[in-house]
Amino acid sequence: MIKDYNFGYTKVNSKQKTKLVQNVFSSVASSYDVMNDLMSLGMHRLWKKRFVEIMDIRENEFILDVGSGSGDIASEILRENLPTRLYLLDLNQEMLSEGKKRLKKENNIKYFIGNAENLNFESNFFDKYAISFCLRNVTKYLLSIKEAYRVLKPGGKFCCLEFSTPKSPLISSSYRLYKSKILPLLGEVVAKDKNAYKYLSESIDLFPSQEELSKDLVDCGFINVESINLFNGIVSIHTGYKL
Ligand SMILES: C[S@@+](CC[C@H](N)C(=O)[O-])C[C@H]1O[C@@H](n2cnc3c(N)ncnc32)[C@H](O)[C@@H]1O
């Protein structure tokens, strides 16, 4: 099998990439929430709040959260206090279990183990598709965007929150230093897994820029594609609609 996928800076084949990424999430599942707060100094909470505002949830919508992890996006959606049908999907059992533990009293949530690349849902089913800090980890990332398009209803909204490319050179250089030196160190001390956080840093470096991802969304059929930068583009919210 050709090694044409990146696991961070290491070249691997597609099966290896999916397995290695899943090993990362199995290893960090129990410390994932603490690490998120520490690494972003709590900022990820603001980013996710803004993300859900931009999702613009309405009553009775069917919402799919792909790579739902420990349930941050679902919790934020529930805070809107609207009746919705929430479908949480993750490829990793340990991460999905963290989410289930946290949201156990909510009975309008369905949980699925599954791959973003090959969704086991019928076409034209969801009003909203959310993917937060997951797309970067998907092996065949274009396939997952095509799947998002397929499962959305016509008029349905695609929403992605992901690390992106800072716009200012000054922020870009200090951020590069933070990612390459401080992140792996924090990972070693708190999550006891330096390599997982080295992967995180490298996967951010290699992820498409705002412009590249917007182009991929358009190529997959989405219209009115936009990206909204937060923190100078350290993270970005990408949206698009199915025709
Ligand atoms: C960084 S976590 C993000 C969790 C949550 N969405 C958040 O914003 O905090 C990424 C999640 O994506 C999941 N994931 C990675 N590759 C996936 C794939 N191909 N299909 C579905 N989930 C995937 C991981 O297991 C992990 O739970």
Side-chain angles (χ1 to χ4, degrees), residues 43-230:
M43 293 305 159
H44 75 107
R45 293 169 185 264
L46 299 182
W47 301 335
K48 288 168 179 167
K49 189 171 173 0
R50 186 76 191 111
F51 178 66
V52 171
E53 279 167 11
I54 287 173
M55 280 181 74
D56 189 21
I57 312 283
R58 309 284 171 92
E59 272 187 24
N60 302 321
E61 283 187 336
F62 283 79
I63 302 166
L64 175 62
D65 179 15
V66 170
S68 52
S70 60
D72 278 3
I73 298 303
S75 303
E76 204 53 60
I77 291 173
L78 292 169
R79 244 174 242 135
E80 304 253 306
N81 230 348
L82 288 169
T84 53
R85 309 285 182 82
L86 262 176
Y87 289 65
L88 306 195
L89 176 135
D90 203 291
L91 190 50
N92 187 281
Q93 180 71 62
E94 283 95 333
M95 290 295 286
L96 196 70
S97 300
E98 290 295 319
K100 269 188 191 167
K101 252 192 270 168
R102 172 170 172 195
L103 302 161
K104 61 175 178 276
K105 58 181 190 315
E106 306 295 337
N107 51 20
N108 60 342
I109 302 185
K110 292 184 173 160
Y111 299 90
F112 302 86
I113 287 285
N115 193 327
E117 294 165 11
N118 181 17
L119 297 171
N120 204 6
F121 300 113
E122 57 190 88
S123 304
N124 307 315
F125 187 74
F126 292 101
D127 298 285
K128 302 277 158 70
Y129 173 105
I131 184 161
S132 159
F133 297 116
C134 169
L135 195 54
R136 194 173 24 89
N137 300 295
V138 175
T139 305
K140 294 178 182 166
Y141 127 106
L142 280 177
L143 265 189
S144 69
I145 297 178
K146 288 179 186 155
E147 275 294 83
Y149 192 88
R150 182 184 66 78
V151 299
L152 277 168
K153 292 176 185 169
K157 188 173 185 179
F158 171 91
C159 305
C160 168
L161 173 64
E162 193 48 271
F163 291 108
S164 203
T165 310
K167 292 295 158 195
S168 126
L170 186 67
I171 292 190
S172 194
S173 57
S174 23
Y175 181 50
R176 200 170 313 122
L177 199 72
Y178 169 78
K179 275 185 300 174
S180 61
K181 303 283 178 231
I182 301 176
L183 257 188
L185 197 70
L186 277 177
E188 184 172 23
V189 175
V190 182
K192 312 280 178 248
D193 190 339
K194 184 176 182 175
N195 285 335
Y197 285 86
K198 183 167 167 283
Y199 159 72
L200 168 66
S201 159
E202 294 177 357
S203 68
I204 296 172
D205 291 346
L206 293 168
F207 192 66
S209 67
Q210 291 83 335
E211 295 73 23
E212 288 162 335
L213 180 50
S214 292
K215 182 179 179 306
D216 288 336
L217 289 173
V218 170
D219 289 348
C220 290
F222 284 101
I223 58 162
N224 296 340
V225 167
E226 273 189 89
S227 65
I228 298 159
N229 287 333
L230 308 178

